[in-house]
Short mmCIF file of all heavy atoms in Angstrom, two decimals:
data_model
loop_
_atom_site.label_atom_id
_atom_site.label_comp_id
_atom_site.label_asym_id
_atom_site.label_seq_id
_atom_site.Cartn_x
_atom_site.Cartn_y
_atom_site.Cartn_z
N THR A 1579 -57.09 43.78 45.77
CA THR A 1579 -56.26 43.92 44.58
C THR A 1579 -55.20 44.98 44.82
O THR A 1579 -55.28 45.79 45.75
CB THR A 1579 -57.11 44.30 43.35
OG1 THR A 1579 -57.67 45.61 43.55
CG2 THR A 1579 -58.24 43.30 43.15
N LEU A 1580 -54.19 44.99 43.93
CA LEU A 1580 -53.14 46.00 44.02
C LEU A 1580 -53.70 47.39 43.79
O LEU A 1580 -53.24 48.36 44.42
CB LEU A 1580 -52.04 45.68 42.99
CG LEU A 1580 -50.77 46.53 43.05
CD1 LEU A 1580 -50.10 46.40 44.41
CD2 LEU A 1580 -49.81 46.11 41.94
N THR A 1581 -54.69 47.51 42.94
CA THR A 1581 -55.33 48.81 42.70
C THR A 1581 -56.00 49.32 43.97
O THR A 1581 -55.96 50.52 44.27
CB THR A 1581 -56.35 48.70 41.56
OG1 THR A 1581 -55.69 48.17 40.39
CG2 THR A 1581 -56.94 50.06 41.23
N ASP A 1582 -56.64 48.41 44.72
CA ASP A 1582 -57.27 48.81 45.98
C ASP A 1582 -56.23 49.39 46.94
O ASP A 1582 -56.49 50.39 47.62
CB ASP A 1582 -57.95 47.60 46.63
CG ASP A 1582 -59.14 47.10 45.83
OD1 ASP A 1582 -59.64 47.86 44.98
OD2 ASP A 1582 -59.56 45.94 46.04
N PHE A 1584 -53.27 50.83 46.25
CA PHE A 1584 -52.79 52.14 45.80
C PHE A 1584 -53.85 53.21 46.02
O PHE A 1584 -53.53 54.34 46.42
CB PHE A 1584 -52.40 52.07 44.32
CG PHE A 1584 -50.97 51.67 44.09
CD1 PHE A 1584 -50.55 50.38 44.30
CD2 PHE A 1584 -50.04 52.60 43.67
CE1 PHE A 1584 -49.24 50.00 44.10
CE2 PHE A 1584 -48.72 52.25 43.46
CZ PHE A 1584 -48.31 50.94 43.68
N ALA A 1585 -55.11 52.88 45.75
CA ALA A 1585 -56.18 53.87 45.98
C ALA A 1585 -56.30 54.21 47.46
O ALA A 1585 -56.47 55.38 47.83
CB ALA A 1585 -57.51 53.32 45.45
N GLN A 1588 -53.22 56.42 48.48
CA GLN A 1588 -53.30 57.80 48.00
C GLN A 1588 -54.37 58.58 48.77
O GLN A 1588 -54.18 59.76 49.10
CB GLN A 1588 -53.61 57.83 46.51
CG GLN A 1588 -53.74 59.22 45.93
CD GLN A 1588 -53.50 59.27 44.44
OE1 GLN A 1588 -52.45 58.88 43.94
NE2 GLN A 1588 -54.50 59.74 43.70
N GLU A 1658 -47.83 41.89 38.22
CA GLU A 1658 -49.07 42.21 38.93
C GLU A 1658 -49.64 43.56 38.54
O GLU A 1658 -50.71 43.94 39.02
CB GLU A 1658 -48.82 42.18 40.44
CG GLU A 1658 -48.56 40.80 40.99
CD GLU A 1658 -49.75 39.87 40.83
OE1 GLU A 1658 -50.89 40.34 40.97
OE2 GLU A 1658 -49.53 38.67 40.56
N GLY A 1659 -48.93 44.30 37.67
CA GLY A 1659 -49.44 45.58 37.19
C GLY A 1659 -49.04 46.77 38.02
O GLY A 1659 -49.75 47.79 38.04
N ILE A 1660 -47.89 46.71 38.68
CA ILE A 1660 -47.49 47.82 39.54
C ILE A 1660 -47.13 49.06 38.73
O ILE A 1660 -47.31 50.19 39.19
CB ILE A 1660 -46.32 47.39 40.45
CG1 ILE A 1660 -46.13 48.40 41.59
CG2 ILE A 1660 -45.03 47.22 39.66
CD1 ILE A 1660 -45.17 47.96 42.65
N ASP A 1661 -46.64 48.88 37.48
CA ASP A 1661 -46.31 50.04 36.64
C ASP A 1661 -47.56 50.87 36.33
O ASP A 1661 -47.54 52.10 36.37
CB ASP A 1661 -45.66 49.58 35.34
CG ASP A 1661 -44.27 48.99 35.57
OD1 ASP A 1661 -43.49 49.60 36.31
OD2 ASP A 1661 -43.96 47.92 35.01
N VAL A 1662 -48.65 50.19 36.03
CA VAL A 1662 -49.90 50.90 35.73
C VAL A 1662 -50.42 51.61 36.97
O VAL A 1662 -50.93 52.74 36.90
CB VAL A 1662 -50.95 49.90 35.19
CG1 VAL A 1662 -52.28 50.61 34.93
CG2 VAL A 1662 -50.45 49.24 33.92
N CYS A 1663 -50.28 50.98 38.13
CA CYS A 1663 -50.73 51.61 39.37
C CYS A 1663 -49.92 52.87 39.67
O CYS A 1663 -50.48 53.87 40.14
CB CYS A 1663 -50.62 50.62 40.52
SG CYS A 1663 -51.81 49.26 40.46
N PHE A 1664 -48.62 52.85 39.41
CA PHE A 1664 -47.81 54.05 39.61
C PHE A 1664 -48.29 55.19 38.71
O PHE A 1664 -48.29 56.36 39.13
CB PHE A 1664 -46.34 53.74 39.31
CG PHE A 1664 -45.59 53.17 40.48
CD1 PHE A 1664 -44.87 51.99 40.34
CD2 PHE A 1664 -45.58 53.80 41.70
CE1 PHE A 1664 -44.17 51.45 41.41
CE2 PHE A 1664 -44.89 53.28 42.78
CZ PHE A 1664 -44.18 52.10 42.64
N GLN A 1665 -48.71 54.87 37.50
CA GLN A 1665 -49.16 55.91 36.58
C GLN A 1665 -50.50 56.50 37.00
O GLN A 1665 -50.72 57.71 36.88
CB GLN A 1665 -49.28 55.32 35.17
CG GLN A 1665 -47.96 54.87 34.58
CD GLN A 1665 -48.13 54.16 33.25
OE1 GLN A 1665 -49.24 54.09 32.71
NE2 GLN A 1665 -47.03 53.61 32.72
N HIS A 1666 -51.41 55.68 37.52
CA HIS A 1666 -52.74 56.16 37.88
C HIS A 1666 -52.79 56.77 39.27
O HIS A 1666 -53.74 57.52 39.58
CB HIS A 1666 -53.75 55.01 37.80
CG HIS A 1666 -54.12 54.63 36.40
ND1 HIS A 1666 -53.36 53.77 35.64
CD2 HIS A 1666 -55.16 55.01 35.62
CE1 HIS A 1666 -53.92 53.62 34.46
NE2 HIS A 1666 -55.01 54.36 34.41
N PHE A 1667 -51.80 56.49 40.11
CA PHE A 1667 -51.77 57.03 41.47
C PHE A 1667 -50.40 57.68 41.70
O PHE A 1667 -49.53 57.12 42.37
CB PHE A 1667 -52.03 55.93 42.50
CG PHE A 1667 -53.35 55.22 42.31
CD1 PHE A 1667 -53.41 54.03 41.60
CD2 PHE A 1667 -54.51 55.77 42.81
CE1 PHE A 1667 -54.62 53.38 41.41
CE2 PHE A 1667 -55.73 55.13 42.63
CZ PHE A 1667 -55.79 53.93 41.93
N PRO A 1668 -50.20 58.88 41.15
CA PRO A 1668 -48.87 59.51 41.17
C PRO A 1668 -48.41 59.96 42.56
O PRO A 1668 -47.23 60.27 42.73
CB PRO A 1668 -49.04 60.70 40.23
CG PRO A 1668 -50.50 61.02 40.27
CD PRO A 1668 -51.19 59.70 40.44
N ASP A 1669 -49.30 60.02 43.54
CA ASP A 1669 -48.92 60.49 44.87
C ASP A 1669 -48.47 59.37 45.80
O ASP A 1669 -48.03 59.65 46.93
CB ASP A 1669 -50.08 61.24 45.53
CG ASP A 1669 -50.48 62.48 44.74
OD1 ASP A 1669 -49.60 63.05 44.07
OD2 ASP A 1669 -51.66 62.86 44.79
N VAL A 1670 -48.56 58.13 45.36
CA VAL A 1670 -48.22 56.99 46.22
C VAL A 1670 -46.71 56.76 46.17
O VAL A 1670 -46.10 56.74 45.09
CB VAL A 1670 -48.97 55.72 45.78
CG1 VAL A 1670 -48.53 54.52 46.62
CG2 VAL A 1670 -50.47 55.93 45.88
N HIS A 1685 -39.69 54.87 37.98
CA HIS A 1685 -40.71 55.66 38.69
C HIS A 1685 -40.03 56.47 39.79
O HIS A 1685 -40.24 56.23 40.99
CB HIS A 1685 -41.78 54.74 39.28
CG HIS A 1685 -42.43 53.84 38.27
ND1 HIS A 1685 -43.40 54.28 37.40
CD2 HIS A 1685 -42.21 52.52 37.98
CE1 HIS A 1685 -43.78 53.27 36.63
NE2 HIS A 1685 -43.07 52.21 36.95
N GLN A 1688 -41.46 57.94 43.35
CA GLN A 1688 -42.49 57.07 43.88
C GLN A 1688 -41.90 55.78 44.45
O GLN A 1688 -42.25 55.38 45.56
CB GLN A 1688 -43.53 56.73 42.80
CG GLN A 1688 -44.41 57.89 42.38
CD GLN A 1688 -45.46 57.47 41.39
OE1 GLN A 1688 -45.24 57.50 40.17
NE2 GLN A 1688 -46.61 57.07 41.89
#
Side-chain angles (χ1 to χ4, degrees):
T1579 65
L1580 187 59
T1581 305
D1582 293 342
F1584 271 72
Q1588 179 157 302
E1658 290 296 323
I1660 195 171
D1661 291 314
V1662 177
C1663 290
F1664 274 127
Q1665 296 174 6
H1666 285 84
F1667 302 96
D1669 297 332
V1670 176
H1685 305 282
Q1688 290 184 270

